Amino acid sequence: MTAEAPPTKARRKNAVRPAPTPARSKPLEEAELIRWSPEEVVAKQLLPYKSVRSLKEKCYRREVYHHNDGGRISFSPESIRLELQRSLVAPLDTAA
């Protein structure tokens, strides 16, 4: 009787990778739940406003996309995107 070596695990070149799990995409879903105060929006320059007061005034007059959670103004990533899309200026067509 001859002793045989135990089989070793060989790594295949084109190994199948596991499908992405919900745990891997969880940070992206949680990022959509973030809310910023007007002070944070002005400090991080997420919107083109230089003072907190002017941003709040626009929110009171409902001129800016925002959330009014429990009487407090807050901004989600979606409301920031909508506001930036609303204030987008299209370039002039100079080919005429």
Side-chain angles (χ1 to χ4, degrees), residues 5-20:
T8 59
K9 292 183 180 178
R11 196 180 267 188
R12 293 185 291 171
K13 278 187 178 179
N14 297 329
V16 178
R17 293 185 180 165

Side-chain angles (χ1 to χ4, degrees), residues 19-45:
T21 61
R24 290 185 185 172
S25 62
K26 189 175 181 181
L28 293 177
E29 293 171 1
E30 288 180 2
E32 290 297 317
L33 300 176
I34 293 174
R35 296 289 175 97
W36 293 290
S37 67
E39 292 81 10
E40 292 172 321
V41 169
V42 170
K44 294 180 180 183
Q45 298 179 349

